[in-house]
Amino acid sequence: MADTLEFNDIYQEVKGSMNDGRLRLSKVGLMYKNSKTGKVENIAAADLAEGVWRRVALGYGIKLLTRAGHVYKYDGFREAEYEKISDYFKTQFHVDLVEKDLCVKGWNWGSARFGGQLLSFDIGEQPAFELPLSNVSQCTTGKNEVTLEFHQNDDSEVSLMEIRFYVPPTQEDGGDPVEAFAKNVLSKADVIQATGDAVCIFRELQCLTPRGRYDIRIYPSFLHLHGKTFDYKIPYTTVLRLFLLPHKDQRQMFFVISLDPPIKQGQTRYHFLILLFSKDEDITLTLNMSEEEVEKRFEGKLKKNMSGCLYEMVSRVMKALVNRKITVPGNFQGHSGAQCITCSYKASSGLLYPLERGFIYVHKPPVHVRFDEVNCVNFARGTTTTRSFDFEIETKQGSQYTFSNIEREEYGKLFDFVNAKKLNIKNRGLKEGAKQPYDDYADSDDDQQHDAYLERMKEEGKIRENADSDDSGDETDESFNPGEEEDEVAEEFDSNPSASSSSAGSDDDEAEKKKKAKKPKIVKERKPRKKAEGKKAKDPAAPKRPMSAYMLWLNASREKIKSENPGISITDLSKKAGEIWKGMGKDKKEEWDRKAEEAKRDYEKAMKEYNEKAPSDAPKK
């Protein structure tokens, strides 16, 4: 028997979710790492009390019960693995892996049994289904009924949100069975109640996600986010990571809290809580605890009375209570000396921070990608101008993130960073081994300088060459020469083409021999367009055609876009406007659709009046 067993692509059910990950069995216990969040769970061998092997929807699964009452379920095993896993449990953990089947009769009448963190609904001696009580968000009682509400599972297309239990009355004097049922549920449920005094309170903090001003009340086990409209209670157990990121203007700071499961506002899910602070804002903080309690609980990490910058106080308190390290930017510095890169993601502009172990983008929508999730990265040409480029990240799960409109001066710094982290660059290019001066690339307008998308540029050059030629089938890579193309165009459209041909006649003998191997480029003579006969000039008194909803919105928003993006070119403005329009909600577009319909009706009415007044020989519109 090997000392260690590893299983890939094992599925774990935690709080009703099913997340892909890796399960490792060793002498000291079990370790499971979630592939999506990177969260690691350890179960010591000495804590294992019971193991059950059973048939589930995804093959076979293991249910583990610890001595503290916690339950863990791992699904996705094959039937042939039972012998190996059972022997390993018995040899290393001294626990028998018992085979037990679920009841599949479909009956809805049975008995509820509470064991550890699970509510088991049994029919006879077999369980029909089990509910993790830690996933219960609310428990309400009626006359003979108990209703359980659950946290929504974002990883599943269909989630169980509510279940009701009918509890029949009894003749015994042992108390109300409904209240006893609810009490058992609430003792293990994830229902947060703000009891007692807060450790400290931060007033009117600016929150970017979810947007608004919130009071943050710090309790020993959870964070209470209280606003004018919404109210959130966030357990510290749901906090995955903390980030402290300096803004590019060096006057503000982002404090980012990564959450799993996320907080919910209607149908919107917030996986990140983003606070924005000014570096100049100071605060004096007094904890609502005695000095002995502070010293005993936080072991010198916090003091009863503290003062300093507001962002430092918030991050310091959160670090001590959550017991997580705060991630800050590493050694990366962009072209301007900042630790981030200005770019756009989807329709919004934001900041991309290259960290020591991943990338994070703030703020709308926030994105965090760890290096161990990345399959490859790609440097792509900007869609509208050669003065910018796109940075694409493709994950092992198949997701792709495109950060666009990055200044070309940032290319060298970002390429060196990605290369140093040994990430797979999708379009590294043929000349990657040659040392290229990236600073020269940043200051040069020559598109032939080597960069990570050199081969793609060549392909685009061939496409442009083929588009200019009528006989594209005979074109080769050698024909892509911008200098030669310019000479040919100048000769073809010379003001005196006949003179050029005659003057070149004396030297044609040797020139013809050199060009025999290469087929000459044939350019058809352009003829001036003839004005359509009989077409009359447009009547200036005729009504003008109405504009579309998009054009009406663009005319109203053009100055606002210019003011938000000083110095933006016409091409970039059009692209920016298109992205904003595409990202607008249906309710906002309805206003402009309505205005376009009104303009169309006015135009049709005006045309009708115009045609009635027009002379009989005039063309009708």
Side-chain angles (χ1 to χ4, degrees), residues 100 103 109-114 119-130:
K100 197 171 185 179
C103 180
W109 185 268
S111 58
R113 180 170 57 86
F114 294 90
L119 163 61
S120 177
F121 186 80
D122 297 345
I123 298 174
E125 297 296 326
Q126 291 181 311
F129 62 86
E130 295 173 336

Side-chain angles (χ1 to χ4, degrees), residues 145-336:
E145 193 176 68
V146 179
T147 303
L148 306 184
E149 297 179 17
F150 302 95
H151 296 292
Q152 184 167 335
N153 177 17
D154 293 331
D155 298 323
S156 177
E157 295 180 0
V158 180
S159 298
L160 176 64
M161 298 303 299
E162 180 182 287
I163 189 170
R164 297 182 181 183
F165 292 94
Y166 173 76
V167 184
T170 61
Q171 301 298 327
E172 301 175 2
D173 296 332
D176 188 356
V178 173
E179 291 298 328
F181 189 102
K183 186 177 180 180
N184 283 326
V185 172
L186 290 172
S187 64
K188 303 293 183 182
D190 186 19
V191 181
I192 300 176
Q193 298 177 352
T195 57
D197 296 328
V199 176
C200 61
I201 301 176
F202 298 99
R203 302 283 185 184
E204 293 291 321
L205 297 185
Q206 183 180 355
C207 192
L208 300 180
T209 305
R211 188 176 178 182
R213 291 273 179 177
Y214 289 87
D215 291 343
I216 294 185
R217 296 183 174 93
I218 306 294
Y219 287 89
S221 61
F222 67 94
L223 173 73
H224 186 190
L225 201 65
H226 178 69
K228 293 180 180 179
T229 309
F230 298 101
D231 191 89
Y232 306 96
K233 296 181 179 70
I234 306 172
Y236 295 139
T237 54
T238 66
V239 177
L240 288 181
R241 292 177 183 83
L242 302 174
F243 301 89
L244 189 60
L245 310 170
H247 196 284
K248 195 171 185 179
D249 60 11
Q250 301 300 323
R251 296 194 301 269
Q252 301 178 95
M253 296 289 291
F254 294 109
F255 185 63
V256 184
I257 303 173
S258 174
L259 303 173
D260 183 45
I263 57 176
K264 297 177 283 292
Q265 181 176 309
Q267 295 299 318
T268 308
R269 303 289 176 266
Y270 294 103
H271 291 270
F272 293 88
L273 178 66
I274 303 180
L275 303 172
L276 182 63
F277 300 94
S278 172
K279 284 188 174 182
D280 300 332
E281 193 171 358
D282 296 332
I283 188 176
T284 299
L285 185 66
T286 301
L287 300 184
N288 189 20
M289 301 171 70
S290 65
E291 292 186 0
E292 292 77 11
E293 290 176 330
V294 172
E295 181 63 30
K296 182 179 179 181
R297 178 177 176 82
F298 301 112
E299 299 177 351
K301 297 177 182 178
L302 297 178
K303 296 180 180 179
K304 181 175 175 61
N305 297 300
M306 298 180 291
S307 62
C309 295
L310 178 59
Y311 74 88
E312 290 181 352
M313 294 296 102
V314 173
S315 58
R316 188 174 174 183
V317 170
M318 286 297 298
K319 180 181 178 181
L321 285 166
V322 178
N323 198 22
R324 302 272 185 188
K325 293 181 179 179
I326 296 180
T327 303
V328 297
N331 298 325
F332 175 83
Q333 280 194 345
H335 177 73
S336 60

